Amino acid sequence: MRVKYRPRMPVTSDDDLGFDPDALRARYAEERAKRLRADGNDQYLEIADQFEHFADDPYTDDVEDRAPLTDEVEVVLVGGGFGGLLAGARLREAGVDDLRIIEKGGGLGGTWYWNQYPGAQCDIESYIYLPLIEQVGTTPSEKYARAPEILSHAQRLAARYDLDRDALLHTEVTDLRWDDEAQRWIVHTNRGDALRARFVVVAAGPLHRPKLPGVDGIDEFAGHSFHTSRWDYEYTGGGANGGLDRLGDKRVAIIGTGATAVQVVPHLGAAAEQLVVFQRTPSSVDERGNAPTDAQWAASLEPGWQQERNENFNAWLSGVPQDVDLVMDGWTDIVGRIVAIYRDGRHGALERPMGEVLEIANFQKMEELRARIDRVVEDPATAEALKPWYQMFCKRPTFNDEYLPTFNRPNVTLVDTDGQGVERITERGVVANGVEYEVDCIVYATGFEVGTGFERRAGMHIRGRDGRTLTEKWDDGGMRSLYGMHHRGYPNLFVMGIQQGAWTANYTHLLDEAAVQLTYVIDHMRSAGLTSVEPTEAAERDWADQIVATSMGGIAGGIGGSDCTPGYYNNEGQDLGRPPYEAPYGGGSIEFFRMMQAWRDAGDLAGLECTGPADAT
Ligand code: NDP
C-alpha cells in the first residue's frame, strides 16, 4: 500500500481511537476459535446422488431435444457467463467467426442466470460491473443494478456480438481431451457431443457449484426446500423484486447469512407467515446507497470512461490512492480512511507500521457497522447477535438497507448458533441449539463450493497431451501455469480465473482483461498460421517464483487472511498445505494488468512455445 500524504501532527497513543484495539483483537480471536472445525471444507455436502435435484434448472422448462454434435469449431467457450461472453466478444472483435459457447444453464448469463433469487443485486456499482457498457450502448438504470437488468445486459452483450448463434444450452462439458495427433481438443458433453475445437477457453466461474450444509437429515425433510441459486418461484410466488405471495401461510427457514441471504431475507420476511433465520456467522452490513442514474451525468461521459472508472476503482482497492475516488463505495471507503488517517496525522500514524494503520481503519469501520446495528435493530439481544466480530475483508462485505430492519418484524426470528451452525434437519424442520424449529420450507443460502478441486467445481476433466488431468498435474507439485491462463501439457487451452492471475473485487474487470489477453494470443496464432501454444516449463517456474516473491498488498492482503474467521475466503481457516504460488499474483491486479499489456506490446509471446508451419515463439 502506498500513501502519498504525510501527517501534520503525529499522536502516538491509542487513547483517541474510541475503542481498545487489544480487546477487539481478543474478541476477534475468540470468535474465530469458536468457528474453526477440523473438517474444514469437508463439512459441506456435495450436491450429488440423492441431492442432485438441488442443482436442477428451475428457470427453463424445455430442454431442446437435439442430436449429438461431432463437428469442428475454431474456439469452444466453456461457460456462458460474463467470462465466456467477454471472451466471445473480444474474439468476435478480432474477427473470429467460428466459435461456440457451451453452457449448462438454459440461457446465457452465468451467475446472473442462476442467481435469480428475490433481491439479487450486484454489490459492485453497475457502471463498472456491467462489462462493455459503451460497446453495447446501454446505461444502467441505477448505481447498483438489480439482477434482471444485469441478466438482460449479459443477453444484450450476447446479441451484440452474435454469441447466441450456435450456443449449446443445457449442455455440460464433462471431458476435454487433447488429441495430439490431430492437434485438436475433443469436447465431450452430457448430451453425447464429441466436438472438435482448435482452441478451448474455460470460463466456468469461481462460484459455480452450489453446496449444502453437511448435516444429517436433509433428505428426510418432508416439506419443501431449495438452494438460493435455484429459486423456486413456483412455490414462493413473486419474482426478482419480491412479492412472494404464496408464502403468506408458510413457515420458512433460511440457513446461512452470507451475501445472498442478506438480499433474500428482507423479501422472505415481508412475505412469509413466519421466517426463522439460522445464523452461524453474521455478515457485515453496510449502507447500500443506491440511486437512479443521473441522465445528465450519463450523457456527459466521454468515450473510454468505463475503463478509466474501472482503473480508478482498482487503484483505490489496491491501496493506491488517486486524486479522485470515482466510485466512492464501501469497497474504496476503507482506503480513503487510511489516507485520511495519514493526512490528518491521526492515531500516531507515522509511528505505526502500515499494517497497524490498516487495522485501525478496519476496526473503525467495523465499529461503525456494529453501531449501525444497535441503531437499527430494536431488540438488544438480536442486535448483539447480528454483530460481526472480524476484520472487514475476512468475509464478503455486504451492503443493504432492508436486511437489519427485517429483524424488527414480529414474524421474523433470528436463531444465532454462536458459530456452531444448524445441527440437523428433521422430517419437520431444522434443529439448532438443541431446539427443533418446525417449518414448511427450508431455503439453503449456504453458498458455493470454493475449496474443492478445480475440475470438480468445473464439472469436467481436462486431459492434456499425455492424458493427465489438470488435477493430476497440480497434485504433483502444485498448480503451475503462466499467468493462471496457460498450462504446459494443455496446448491451446485458456483458463480464465483468479488463481495465479489477478484479484480484484470487480470480477468482470478481471474477466475482460483475461479475454483481451487470450484473444491476443489466439489472434496472433491465426495470423501467424501456428498450430499449438503452451507455456514452457521455465516460464511456469518463473511465474510461480514471481507469485511467491510478491506479497498481497492493499486490501487484497487482508482478504481471508489465515487469522480470519473461517469462510471460503480462507479455506475455512485451514491450511490445505498447497504451495504459496497457487495464490493470485501478489503484486496486485493493477501491476498484473500492466504486465499483461507490456507482454502483448512486446509481441514475442515470451514464455510461450508455439508449433506450426511458422514455428515461431
Ligand atoms: P456464502 O458462502 O458467503 O455464505 C454461506 C452461508 O451459509 C454463511 O453464512 C455460512 O456461515 C452459512 N452456513 C454454512 N453452513 C452452515 C450451517 N451448517 N449452519 C448455518 N449456517 C451455515 O454464500 P453466499 O451465497 O451468501 O455468497 C457467496 C458469494 O457470492 C459471496 O461471497 C459473493 O462473492 C457472491 N455474492 C455477491 C453478491 C453481490 O454482489 N451482491 C450477492 C450474493 C452473493 P459461515 O459464515 O459461518 O460460514
Side-chain angles (χ1 to χ4, degrees):
M1 149 113 206
R2 280 156 275 168
V3 175
K4 58 186 178 176
Y5 298 97
R6 283 288 164 264
R8 288 181 199 136
M9 36 166 222
V11 186
T12 48
S13 139
D14 284 346
D15 294 349
D16 62 337
L17 289 174
F19 53 82
D20 176 357
D22 284 337
L24 286 180
R25 281 185 203 114
R27 178 77 195 261
Y28 287 9
E30 186 193 324
E31 295 291 337
R32 171 179 189 271
K34 273 184 207 167
R35 290 169 172 81
L36 277 177
R37 352 183 343 154
D39 51 1
N41 279 312
D42 293 337
Q43 68 179 282
Y44 297 108
L45 189 67
E46 183 181 2
I47 293 192
D49 307 324
Q50 78 264 39
F51 302 107
E52 197 79 68
H53 63 279
F54 278 100
D56 289 349
D57 182 355
Y59 308 119
T60 317
D61 292 335
D62 300 327
V63 177
E64 182 205 354
D65 198 19
R66 64 171 178 80
L69 296 170
T70 53
D71 60 339
E72 177 165 327
V73 291
E74 188 159 21
V75 186
V76 157
L77 301 156
V78 183
F82 276 131
L85 292 172
L86 282 162
R90 294 302 186 187
L91 285 164
R92 283 270 197 261
E93 282 176 352
V96 180
D97 187 52
D98 186 18
L99 55 81
R100 180 175 289 156
I101 290 181
I102 303 183
E103 165 57 48
K104 77 172 171 174
L108 299 177
T111 291
W112 301 100
Y113 175 81
W114 293 111
N115 289 282
Q116 301 196 27
Y117 59 81
Q121 186 179 22
C122 189
D123 278 348
I124 302 291
E125 73 151 28
S126 326
Y127 312 128
I128 56 171
Y129 181 79
L130 296 187
L132 307 188
I133 288 179
E134 291 181 77
Q135 288 83 339
V136 173
T138 48
T139 309
S141 64
E142 298 175 285
K143 185 169 169 76
Y144 300 99
R146 287 149 217 263
E149 186 173 342
I150 304 176
L151 183 59
S152 300
H153 183 78
Q155 286 159 355
R156 271 199 301 274
L157 193 64
R160 159 76 179 76
Y161 289 97
D162 197 15
L163 300 169
D164 297 307
R165 174 173 28 118
D166 300 333
L168 298 181
L169 301 176
H170 279 137
T171 305
E172 279 183 71
V173 174
T174 51
D175 193 74
L176 290 172
R177 251 168 231 268
W178 175 252
D179 178 341
D180 208 34
E181 216 176 291
Q183 297 280 292
R184 292 290 180 268
W185 282 99
I186 314 299
V187 182
H188 292 276
T189 75
N190 65 344
R191 305 288 297 271
D193 307 305
L195 296 158
R196 291 152 61 85
R198 188 172 166 201
F199 301 104
V200 170
V201 176
V202 176
L207 296 165
H208 168 267
R209 283 197 84 187
K211 63 178 164 44
L212 296 170
V215 295
D216 290 338
I218 290 183
D219 50 349
E220 289 167 20
F221 182 56
H224 195 68
S225 58
F226 55 88
H227 188 273
T228 49
S229 67
R230 306 291 190 274
W231 195 269
D232 189 348
Y233 283 109
E234 188 75 21
Y235 180 84
T236 65
N241 291 326
L244 310 175
D245 53 9
R246 294 189 193 152
L247 294 182
D249 58 353
K250 299 281 189 297
R251 297 162 302 170
V252 178
I254 181 165
I255 299 178
T257 50
T260 299
V262 165
Q263 296 180 330
V264 165
V265 160
H267 296 288
L268 289 178
E273 181 187 21
Q274 292 292 326
L275 174 65
V276 190
V277 181
F278 291 91
Q279 171 181 275
R280 190 165 70 175
T281 309
S283 280
S284 69
V285 188
D286 207 345
E287 281 166 18
R288 167 77 294 170
N290 203 6
T293 300
D294 177 343
Q296 247 181 336
W297 168 79
S300 73
L301 294 166
E302 301 284 342
W305 67 268
Q306 192 180 26
Q307 181 70 12
E308 189 195 329
R309 204 170 171 92
N310 247 321
E311 286 172 8
N312 180 270
F313 176 76
N314 204 13
W316 276 97
L317 218 69
S318 308
V320 185
Q322 307 290 294
D323 291 335
V324 56
D325 179 356
L326 292 172
V327 172
M328 282 216 304
D329 68 354
W331 294 91
T332 60
D333 175 61
I334 200 131
V335 176
R337 285 163 185 270
I338 297 165
V339 172
I341 290 173
Y342 270 90
R343 187 190 52 219
D344 302 341
R346 274 188 271 134
H347 318 309
L350 247 208
E351 276 74 43
R352 294 181 192 268
M354 170 57 73
E356 249 182 57
V357 177
L358 178 60
E359 190 190 36
I360 285 172
N362 206 310
F363 281 148
Q364 282 178 336
K365 179 79 192 178
M366 293 302 279
E367 285 284 283
E368 283 173 24
L369 296 184
R370 290 187 282 264
R372 178 175 184 237
I373 298 169
D374 282 329
R375 281 198 310 279
V376 176
V377 178
E378 288 156 11
D379 173 53
T382 305
E384 206 48 42
L386 284 165
K387 289 182 185 166
W389 297 100
Y390 46 79
Q391 293 283 350
M392 184 170 179
F393 293 98
C394 282
K395 288 201 173 267
R396 177 63 140 86
T398 74
F399 308 87
N400 194 287
D401 298 332
E402 291 86 33
Y403 178 71
L404 295 173
T406 301
F407 293 95
N408 295 334
R409 285 180 175 274
N411 64 326
V412 177
T413 308
L414 176 71
V415 176
D416 178 49
T417 62
D418 199 26
Q420 304 313 299
V422 300
E423 285 153 33
R424 63 169 287 125
I425 309 294
T426 66
E427 198 186 331
R428 291 175 299 274
V430 181
V431 180
N433 305 331
V435 177
E436 184 181 29
Y437 294 82
E438 287 191 26
V439 292
D440 302 301
C441 173
I442 301 174
V443 178
Y444 291 101
T446 41
F448 302 85
E449 286 191 19
V450 176
T452 51
F454 172 76
E455 287 182 308
R456 168 170 154 173
R457 274 180 287 129
M460 65 187 154
H461 291 299
I462 303 175
R463 297 174 206 276
R465 188 182 293 108
D466 54 7
R468 207 159 62 135
T469 66
L470 258 187
T471 306
E472 285 162 353
K473 173 177 161 154
W474 295 353
D475 280 346
D476 180 15
M479 176 183 182
R480 300 273 185 188
S481 77
L482 180 60
Y483 308 139
M485 178 176 279
H486 311 283
H487 302 264
R488 181 158 184 82
Y490 303 79
N492 298 4
L493 178 81
F494 303 85
V495 176
M496 300 175 90
I498 308 174
Q499 260 190 308
Q500 294 202 336
W503 179 89
T504 162
N506 187 12
Y507 203 72
T508 56
H509 182 194
L510 174 163
L511 291 173
D512 191 36
E513 296 282 348
V516 167
Q517 175 76 6
L518 69 88
T519 297
Y520 172 86
V521 177
I522 290 177
D523 189 42
H524 181 102
M525 296 198 57
R526 294 172 89 227
S527 43
L530 298 169
T531 313
S532 76
V533 63
E534 63 186 299
T536 64
E537 246 177 74
E540 285 194 334
R541 263 199 317 272
D542 285 355
W543 184 238
D545 290 346
Q546 282 195 59
I547 290 172
V548 174
T550 49
S551 65
M552 278 294 225
I555 286 174
I559 290 195
S562 54
D563 54 353
C564 270
T565 192
Y568 81 80
Y569 275 9
N570 69 350
N571 288 316
E572 303 296 334
Q574 284 196 328
D575 179 358
L576 299 183
R578 302 299 299 185
Y581 48 78
E582 292 197 343
Y585 174 66
S589 53
I590 297 186
E591 211 173 290
F592 182 83
F593 297 154
R594 281 189 192 138
M595 200 191 305
M596 296 294 94
Q597 181 66 59
W599 185 92
R600 295 193 293 272
D601 290 346
D604 57 357
L605 301 194
L608 293 181
E609 201 172 79
C610 298
T611 63
D615 213 26
T617 303

